[in-house]
Amino acid sequence: MDKRELFHTKLLELADGSYDVFYNNKRYLLSKQTQLGGKLIKLYAKELGDNDFISLNYYNIDKPLLKPCEMAEEKVINFVLDLEI
């Protein structure tokens, strides 16, 4: 399984709602919403106590499409793959 497939799988496994996660030994408040019958996933995570954040929209239609919000695609992929709940 390649990195994008792992990202897709882990993103779908994350529960909807808001909860704390850890990434690179830092605590983030993650919020995930699944909308349109699973065709759209919105994820936002804010580092608590600092200015870092992760923001993305993921369209799960015929061919999955990742749209990071004002950041590199690699940053959001690494965040989702390496976060700890």
Side-chain angles (χ1 to χ4, degrees):
M1 193 177 285
D2 72 9
K3 199 171 190 179
R4 284 191 164 272
E5 291 173 324
L6 289 171
F7 168 82
H8 174 85
T9 300
K10 187 153 183 190
L11 182 64
L12 294 178
E13 289 174 350
L14 292 172
D16 278 10
S18 296
Y19 45 93
D20 288 349
V21 298
F22 292 88
Y23 175 70
N24 286 341
N25 296 317
K26 297 176 182 175
R27 188 172 154 206
Y28 288 74
L29 177 60
L30 180 142
S31 295
K32 180 188 170 205
Q33 296 177 4
T34 302
Q35 301 175 348
L36 304 173
K39 293 181 181 177
L40 171 62
I41 296 172
K42 295 182 173 204
L43 184 139
Y44 182 83
K46 169 76 173 99
E47 183 181 353
L48 301 175
D50 207 343
N51 294 325
D52 192 33
F53 69 95
I54 303 294
S55 183
L56 67 93
N57 292 316
Y58 187 75
Y59 301 91
N60 193 16
I61 307 173
D62 297 326
K63 182 178 178 185
L65 177 63
L66 172 61
K67 289 291 198 174
C69 302
E70 301 180 19
M71 64 192 56
E73 192 172 277
E74 193 71 18
K75 180 177 180 177
V76 298
I77 290 172
N78 288 338
F79 178 83
V80 170
L81 290 178
D82 296 335
L83 69 83
E84 298 175 13
I85 300 174

